[in-house]
Amino acid sequence: MIYDVAIIGSGIIGGSIFRELTKYNLNVVTLEKENDVAMGTSKANSAIVHSGYDPEPGTLMAKYNVEGNKMFDKLCKDLSVPFKRNGSLIIGFNEEDMKELDILYKRGLANKVEGIKMLNKEEVLEMEPNINPDIKAALFCPTGGIVGAYELTIALSENAIDNGGELRLNSKVVKITKDNHFKITLENGDIVESKFIVNAAGVHADSIHNLICNEAYKITPRKGEYFLLDKSQGSLVEKTIFQCPSELGKGVLVTPTVHGNLLVGPNAIDIDDKDSVSTESEGLNKIRETSLRTTNKINFRENIRNFAGLRAVADNPDFIVEEAKDVKGFVDVAGIKSPGLTSAPAIAVDVVKMMGQAGLKLNPKDNFKETREQIHFINLSQSEKAELIKKDNRYGRIICRCEYITEGEIVDSINRTLGARTIDGVKRRCRPGCGRCQGGFCGPRVQEIIARETGMNIEDVLLDKNNSYIIVGKTK
Ligand SMILES: Cc1cc2nc3c(=O)[nH]c(=O)nc-3n(C[C@H](O)[C@H](O)[C@H](O)COP(=O)(O)OP(=O)(O)OC[C@H]3O[C@@H](n4cnc5c(N)ncnc54)[C@H](O)[C@@H]3O)c2cc1C
């Protein structure tokens, strides 16, 4: 079969475009090199739905940021993904910061960010009493939000599959040729044919582009490291608190997560290795020091996890969202650094429109299913919980005691359309292992449940990426 569109990469960008395309009568396939979706940058970022004060007016980043932000309420509600508009504050300590805040305020106005305003010190401290009282003022953006970034990435692809899209995991693209249409060779030798290609390969988008097009841009991975703290710290601030941004990024933030933890980071370090997501004490120490200027009340002894993500920084300062100049039908969606997560839904709408103008036939489906259900047991009322347990007693067995995740939710995350096959896959779908013990107690139980539900041998159930075996042999 010749697909209408092949999307390369299933992060938030590929996933958003995948779902948008399945609103039309098209044959669409997504090719992802890893064994699950949301395995790249889309699983390791600040998960902030930015309001749009930061990008230069007139750029694609500004346009998609503000448009994308407005789409999150409906999108997350439709797909049962956690999202909260908690608002954000950018705080300033001195005259230099005040100048920067003024620039950001004017940019926010130019970008039409709703409700943006400057607050004086007293107003800020009333809003956020735990912030450093040495601040002078802050920029307040009520439309800022926090979201479950990997939950959304998974939900988008799952909903696209429910609407007829095809996802091929473990499908690394290694070669692309074109005669009448594209022939995409995968690492295992399979060939996938399509009329259009969307390149949404994140930090690897330049390599994918160069497989068929002349070199047009280069991507450098810019690492950002984080501390994730226990829920005991999660109510220290209610809003996302940024310090003033620099050339390298939006600055160190302190924010509650949508699940009630506290997130602190990131820094910004250009590196060579596009697969390195290690964290190092040097960077983390600097983040800790910087964040304590925002509030000295963070108890870093409550840190439960460190992680890092890679921004795809192209030598073009703006997002690259265009058909390649030299290869018709090849669409780059590249250099999607921050605010890429926020921008993704708006980018997807435009990319599909762009392909329509380039000849893709866009006949809307009349049976597109917009919604996707997922039970979050902890959010149910007592009576709803009781009713659910009566129907299925697996919802009465708590497997993850830190996050109160039931066996019912774990089984559902394995058996649903885009079901998890690894321990971290289950974790990203319904959170066992996200709590204080980080899976120390529930990990082996989740492994058993995956084996039982799928018929896999327990030794073959992986922690995360391919080859991440946990059980390697018998000790006795
Ligand atoms: C530290 C940090 C903080 C950030 N904070 C925010 C924020 O708060 N808010 C915000 O809006 N944005 C934020 N961003 C940006 C946002 O996370 C990214 O813009 C977004 O996740 C990029 O998504 P993507 O789909 O382009 O890339 P990815 O999620 O990396 O997806 C690319 C996919 O392509 C696959 N792939 C690569 N090569 C191949 C191949 N050869 N064959 C098949 N598949 C392939 C990869 O495996 C991967 O799954 C942040 C980024 C970082 C790093």
Side-chain angles (χ1 to χ4, degrees), residues 9 13 32-33 41-42 45-46 48 173 226 311 336 340-342:
I13 297 298
E32 168 54 52
K33 72 179 166 69
T41 303
S42 302
N45 51 62
S46 307
I48 307 302
V173 172
Y226 292 91
R311 304 170 184 87
I336 311 293
L341 169 64
T342 314

Side-chain angles (χ1 to χ4, degrees), residues 85-332:
R85 259 185 215 285
N86 64 327
S88 47
L89 286 170
I90 306 95
I91 53 175
F93 290 95
N94 50 38
E95 280 313 315
E96 207 175 305
D97 287 351
M98 288 303 107
K99 279 188 213 146
E100 183 62 31
L101 289 184
D102 189 51
I103 294 173
L104 296 178
Y105 175 61
K106 286 185 180 137
R107 257 192 231 163
L109 291 180
N111 291 341
K112 300 201 166 53
V113 176
E114 282 170 19
I116 187 167
K117 63 175 175 184
M118 289 298 299
L119 300 181
N120 64 29
K121 174 177 171 161
E122 288 69 34
E123 289 169 317
V124 177
L125 292 177
E126 195 177 322
M127 220 177 227
E128 293 286 355
N130 289 323
I131 284 187
N132 184 347
D134 291 343
I135 57 149
K136 274 177 100 72
L139 180 62
F140 174 47
C141 305
T143 56
I146 44 182
V147 69
Y150 40 78
E151 288 100 320
L152 179 58
T153 306
I154 293 166
L156 286 160
S157 280
E158 191 170 276
N159 185 243
I161 297 168
D162 281 340
N163 282 299
E166 194 182 323
L167 171 69
R168 294 202 193 174
L169 298 171
N170 298 308
S171 296
K172 182 174 180 177
V173 172
V174 292
K175 186 176 162 195
I176 306 175
T177 58
K178 187 179 182 198
D179 38 49
N180 287 332
H181 54 267
F182 292 103
K183 288 198 170 71
I184 305 165
T185 308
L186 306 181
E187 198 173 36
N188 67 3
D190 283 0
I191 292 179
V192 174
E193 301 181 60
S194 71
K195 295 177 194 158
F196 281 81
I197 287 181
V198 175
N199 173 15
V203 286
H204 297 281
D206 52 352
S207 315
I208 294 292
H209 176 98
N210 297 344
L211 289 177
I212 173 100
C213 310
N214 290 324
E215 205 172 305
Y217 56 89
K218 183 177 178 316
I219 290 178
T220 305
R222 181 172 292 164
K223 188 183 279 189
E225 298 167 298
Y226 292 91
F227 289 91
L228 180 69
L229 289 97
D230 185 59
K231 288 181 177 169
S232 66
Q233 303 298 295
S235 50
L236 204 56
V237 289
E238 196 215 317
K239 304 195 163 31
T240 301
I241 317 291
F242 295 90
Q243 291 184 21
C244 280
S246 74
E247 231 173 58
L248 289 176
K250 293 189 182 57
V252 168
L253 58 81
V254 176
T255 185
T257 69
V258 78
H259 297 290
N261 296 78
L262 191 78
L263 185 69
V264 180
N267 53 0
I269 306 164
D270 285 350
I271 58 170
D272 297 323
D273 183 352
K274 291 187 170 181
D275 296 311
S276 164
V277 285
S278 59
T279 56
E280 282 166 41
S281 56
E282 194 187 340
L284 291 171
N285 286 338
K286 189 89 194 22
I287 292 169
R288 184 189 349 229
E289 201 181 296
T290 310
S291 67
L292 287 172
R293 195 169 177 228
T294 297
T295 163
N296 64 4
K297 299 199 171 128
I298 306 169
N299 178 3
F300 279 94
R301 293 174 66 109
E302 294 290 288
N303 182 41
I304 58 173
R305 183 117 191 155
N306 296 105
F307 67 90
L310 302 178
R311 304 170 184 87
V313 179
D315 39 14
N316 175 343
D318 203 356
F319 290 161
I320 300 165
V321 184
E322 61 188 20
E323 192 177 28
K325 302 212 167 29
D326 48 342
V327 180
K328 225 180 135 21
F330 184 96
V331 179
D332 280 307

Side-chain angles (χ1 to χ4, degrees), residues 366-377:
D366 42 23
N367 59 350
F368 176 74
K369 187 174 180 292
E370 223 167 14
T371 56
R372 162 192 177 273
E373 276 90 46
Q374 184 174 355
I375 291 170
H376 303 286
F377 188 78

